[in-house]
Every structure is written in structure tokens, then in C-alpha cells.
Amino acid sequence: MMNPFSSLGLGSELVSALTDQGYENPTPIQAAAIPKALAGHDLLAAAQTGTGKTAAFMLPSLERLKRYATSSTSPAMHPVRMLVLTSTRELADQIDQNVQAYIKNLPLRHTVLFGGVNMDKQTADLRAGCEIVVATVGRLLDHVKQKNINLNKVEIVVLDEADRMLDMGFIDDIRKIMQILPKQRQTLLFSATFSPPIRKLAQDFMHTPEMVEVAAQNTTNANVEQHIIAVDALKKRNLLERLIVDLHMNQVIVFCKTKQSVDQVTRDLVRRNIAAQSIHGDKSQQSRLETLNAFKEGTLRVLVATDVAARGLDIAELPFVINYELPTQPEDYVHRIGRTGRAGADGVAISLMDKTEQKM
Ligand code: AMP
């Protein structure tokens, strides 16, 4: 029987890398997007994190770029051919790790650019040459200004989480980047929603894009069991500890609304001898990456996070998410509980609701 990814038009180098990753069947967004992108069309795709969207844009692009694969060490043989723009450092890092896994059988080079860390290593990588660059918008523009990167040979550009990037105020920067890219190129835009500004962006920078839409917008994943517990605000701490211990949660993300409560909840858990660490916007990039790695490796039991810090977090088989405080935005709720139940696995999301949170 033919491998389902081969049937979509992907070559053996990618298919065997996917088999090594344990991917057996394409997700709906992959099945819909891969053939269209392989044919060279621009794509407007509606997909949230957790649907397999990264592979949906990376796999056809890598297939199209594989004719450039070369083991030559000359930087001139490795110009930037593909640019992936995304919203946060964590997501950029995540996409880059996926790229690394997918290209294991292809001599193509990749690198990731994000802010908050020194530019030297990134600059050295760019000078050495690499076909695939995953970047956050601000840091990419820094490299453009310093002439560390040449975008003249870009053939494929991806705008990942386009709605998020616009929410974060990157519209002018995105336009700036799009303007310096070659006109002759393929543009793939992925977004959870298609607001008027996204449509305008598509109109201005895309050529008769094909639409790809799979899941309904802003809906939660059916694999995630959702519970809500009404509780006194003062009793949340005890309840949190009881849930973690009694339900034998060995890996759980606890979401809070503010940095202050993140710190407080973390201190409280540690005092109760539960291994917990926090990530939020005030932490250094280095400290965030270390905490995330400890959590991914399973040496850290509880990760306490704000919504922004947890954007793009991708942990395979994370069984539990707890909303210690409810988010004000429905999209944030969807995003939070989407950290569990990834790629068809089961997950449990528990929300602790006090009186003041009922209307949310
Ligand atoms: P994404 O929506 O791109 O963040 O992907 C969510 C998760 O699903 C990642 O951990 C991927 O490695 C995984 N994944 C993507 N496609 C597949 C597939 N076809 N089969 C199994 N896992 C997948």
C-alpha cells in the first residue's frame, strides 16, 4: 500500500523522515494544503496550532526546494529560498525544530532568527548560507538593516499565525518585508481567523490564492475533555495541589492571567514540594528556554504560565492543562486547552472558577 504522504505528492526523502517522526496519516489541513502548495499556488489557509499546520506549509515547500539540495559548503550555493515569518520566539523555535526533523534526508540548511538573544551566532549562520529561515518579524528586520541577509532569491514566504502577528502590531513591519521580497514567489498565509486586515494583506501581496479551510474557527478540539469546577477564590491553592497530586498529574501546564499570580502559584507549589517553574514575559529568553526544555524532557512536573508566554508551546502528549484563572478572551481559552490533545492524543482541561469569573 502506498504511504499516504507519498500519495499527496511528497518524495521518499520527506516520507521516510515523517515515518521516523511517527506520522502515519496526514491531518485534514495537510491533506488539503499539500497538493495545492506543491502545485505552486498561493494559499490562504485557516488553521490553528495543533492541527498540524506547520507540516502543512513546510512539507510541500521542502519538496519544491529539494532540487536545490547540495552538500557544497560554499555559502553562495545556499541562498535564502524560503522565509517563514511567525509571531513569537517560542513558535519560531518550534517550527525550526520541525524543519530539522523533516529535512534530515536532504542537504538543505535552516536557521532560526528571534530577538532577545545576541545576533552574532545568527549572523554567522546567515553568512554560511541557508535555504530556510524561520524568523520573528522584528529580528528579521534588524538583520535586513545590518545587511546580514539577502532576500533576493526567496521563492516561498510563509506568514504563520498571521492574525496573531497583526494583533501584536506587526502589520507595518510585515508590509516592509513583503515589499523587499521578489515579486515572483509563492505566498502561504496561515491564520486562525480571516479578519478584514488579513484579507487586505492577502489582496495586496498574494496572487489569486486558493482557500484551504478545515476546522471551524475558534472551536475546541474534540479530544480534549473539558471540566469546570466552581470554587472559592481562597480555596484555589489547596484545590490545585489536590488535583495535581490526586489525579497523578506528572506533566501539567497551569495558566494564570498575570505575571504576579504566575509567580505566586509557582512559589506556593514549590513550598508544597511540587516541582514547578514559571514562564512569563519578565523572564529572560535564556531562562524561558531552559524551563521549557526541562518541562519537555519531563524533569519538571508543573509549568506555570501566562497566555503570551505559552503561545506556540508544543509538547507532545501533554495530558493536562489547568486554568487556575479563566482568561477574558475566548480565543485564549481555546488556545490554552489546545496545548493538550495535540495531533489526535487525548487531553484533560480543568478550569477553576471563582465567583468573579462566572461571566467569563
Ligand atoms: P502544529 O499544528 O503544526 O503545531 O502541529 C501539532 C503537533 O502535531 C506537532 O507536535 C506535530 O509534530 C504533530 N503532527 C503534525 N502532523 C502530524 C501527523 N500527520 N501525524 C502525527 N503528528 C503530527
Side-chain angles (χ1 to χ4, degrees):
M1 209 179 68
M2 200 173 179
N3 178 294
F5 288 101
S6 313
S7 316
L8 291 178
L10 300 175
S12 57
E13 301 89 344
L14 287 170
V15 170
S16 105
L18 296 176
T19 306
D20 292 345
Q21 282 289 296
Y23 293 14
E24 287 169 6
N25 287 296
T27 66
I29 188 78
Q30 290 161 7
I34 291 174
K36 288 186 170 144
L38 273 179
H41 295 294
D42 279 6
L43 287 191
L44 259 180
Q48 295 167 229
T49 319
T51 55
K53 71 184 167 69
T54 312
F57 61 71
M58 276 321 309
L59 297 175
S61 305
L62 294 172
E63 184 65 35
R64 297 188 72 211
L65 294 180
K66 90 177 178 197
R67 63 200 162 104
Y68 297 118
T70 166
S71 10
S72 159
T73 53
S74 157
M77 297 299 286
H78 300 276
V80 182
R81 307 270 185 194
M82 176 179 191
L83 183 62
V84 180
L85 289 176
T86 191
S87 53
T88 65
R89 308 155 184 194
E90 285 77 12
L91 199 50
D93 204 42
Q94 192 63 57
I95 294 170
D96 185 59
Q97 283 174 28
N98 284 345
V99 173
Q100 169 133 11
Y102 302 152
I103 64 171
K104 63 188 267 199
N105 304 318
L106 290 167
L108 288 167
R109 300 191 190 164
H110 65 105
T111 194
V112 59
L113 313 174
F114 49 71
V117 295
N118 187 288
M119 286 176 78
D120 296 349
K121 169 154 191 314
Q122 298 175 358
T123 307
D125 282 354
L126 290 172
R127 296 255 154 89
C130 52
E131 283 82 8
I132 301 138
V133 172
V134 181
T136 56
V137 175
R139 181 48 66 96
L140 176 67
L141 278 175
D142 292 342
H143 283 290
V144 168
K145 268 181 221 137
Q146 299 192 12
K147 301 204 163 47
N148 298 334
I149 187 168
N150 182 339
L151 299 172
N152 291 343
K153 295 236 163 77
V154 170
E155 296 177 18
I156 305 174
V157 60
V158 177
L159 299 174
D160 180 42
E161 299 219 320
D163 49 345
R164 241 334 111 178
M165 290 198 281
L166 297 199
D167 286 351
M168 293 167 83
F170 291 139
I171 183 70
D172 292 341
D173 287 347
I174 292 174
R175 287 180 170 272
K176 239 181 249 166
I177 294 167
M178 297 303 272
Q179 264 143 11
I180 55 178
L181 296 177
K183 292 264 173 311
Q184 190 71 29
R185 59 151 200 269
Q186 182 182 31
T187 306
L188 311 174
L189 186 154
F190 281 68
S191 188
T193 55
F194 289 130
S195 56
I198 301 258
R199 289 176 191 277
K200 176 87 174 68
L201 193 67
Q203 224 168 45
D204 293 351
F205 294 107
M206 298 176 79
H207 303 289
T208 54
E210 302 249 345
M211 298 282 291
V212 182
E213 202 159 358
V214 283
Q217 293 173 10
N218 269 337
T219 52
T220 53
N221 192 330
N223 303 328
V224 180
E225 217 178 88
Q226 300 176 54
H227 299 269
I228 189 153
I229 305 178
V231 56
D232 239 43
L234 290 174
K235 293 193 178 142
K236 278 194 181 183
R237 293 173 176 207
N238 285 334
L239 179 58
L240 178 66
E241 181 195 0
R242 287 268 54 88
L243 287 171
I244 294 174
V245 174
D246 292 355
L247 297 181
H248 309 289
M249 298 184 182
N250 288 324
Q251 216 189 10
V252 52
I253 301 186
V254 176
F255 281 101
C256 301
K257 252 165 71 172
T258 65
K259 296 169 196 166
Q260 288 76 9
S261 32
V262 163
D263 284 335
Q264 179 130 49
V265 168
T266 310
R267 272 198 305 271
D268 216 54
L269 289 171
V270 170
R271 208 176 295 131
R272 294 164 190 237
N273 287 319
I274 294 175
Q277 282 180 37
S278 61
I279 50 168
H280 57 57
D282 284 355
K283 302 256 166 173
S284 72
Q285 178 63 6
Q286 187 60 27
S287 135
R288 287 206 274 179
L289 287 177
E290 277 168 17
T291 305
L292 276 181
N293 283 336
F295 190 65
K296 285 186 182 176
E297 282 158 16
T299 52
L300 175 66
R301 188 174 183 187
V302 186
L303 180 69
V304 190
T306 54
D307 289 294
V308 174
R311 244 322 115 220
L313 251 185
D314 183 17
I315 289 131
E317 295 174 27
L318 175 71
F320 294 102
V321 165
I322 296 181
N323 291 313
Y324 188 80
E325 291 160 330
L326 285 170
T328 23
Q329 302 294 327
E331 303 82 57
D332 285 332
Y333 177 81
V334 172
H335 183 268
R336 283 180 180 189
I337 77 165
R339 298 314 83 209
T340 176
R342 314 270 286 168
D346 290 327
V348 176
I350 304 175
S351 301
L352 311 188
M353 174 190 68
D354 67 35
K355 263 216 181 77
T356 64
E357 295 173 311
Q358 279 174 2
K359 62 174 184 300
M360 294 165 198

